[in-house]
Amino acid sequence: MKKIIHKIHKKEGFEIFAACDKELIGQTISDESYSVKVSEFFYGTEAITEKALEKALKEATNANLIGEKVVKIALKSGLIKEKNIIKIGSTPHVQIYRI
């Protein structure tokens, strides 16, 4: 079962790969410092496998990830370090930029 949702945003040569845990779609994740609406508009509706997510993250120039599953895959793949992860409430979130 595919439990990861993703979308690729492209505009004027700039690309952002967005992915989240499927169960977060439609929720607003917040704490005293941050509030993030996990919307279909930004994170998409298309399911992706863990293996395809790992491949896409290795190829992406920029990525926005939210949720336990997607952040764990990025961490396991060596694309981020634990110190790169912020928590919004109890939900992990990370952004990856390659310049």
Side-chain angles (χ1 to χ4, degrees):
M1 183 183 295
K2 297 179 183 176
K3 297 181 180 181
I4 300 166
I5 301 298
H6 81 290
K7 182 174 182 179
I8 299 172
H9 300 270
K10 295 180 182 182
K11 186 174 182 178
E12 301 172 8
F14 186 72
E15 186 175 294
I16 297 175
F17 179 85
C20 71
D21 295 0
K22 183 177 182 177
E23 63 271 10
L24 296 178
I25 290 290
Q27 293 186 29
T28 298
I29 310 298
S30 60
D31 63 17
E32 57 279 344
S33 300
Y34 302 101
S35 182
V36 176
K37 170 75 172 159
V38 185
S39 68
E40 287 183 348
F41 172 78
F42 187 76
Y43 290 97
T45 58
E46 188 177 338
I48 189 171
T49 65
E50 288 186 20
K51 189 172 188 166
L53 173 66
E54 186 175 339
K55 182 179 186 298
L57 288 175
K58 288 180 179 177
E59 296 172 357
T61 53
N62 300 293
N64 182 303
L65 310 173
I66 193 163
E68 293 282 341
K69 290 180 208 72
V70 295
V71 171
K72 184 177 179 181
I73 291 166
L75 191 61
K76 183 178 83 174
S77 301
L79 298 168
I80 61 169
K81 296 184 185 324
E82 193 74 40
K83 69 180 183 178
N84 303 125
I85 302 168
I86 67 166
K87 293 274 187 155
I88 302 173
S90 62
T91 305
H93 174 64
V94 68
Q95 295 181 356
I96 301 169
Y97 298 99
R98 295 191 182 101
I99 299 173

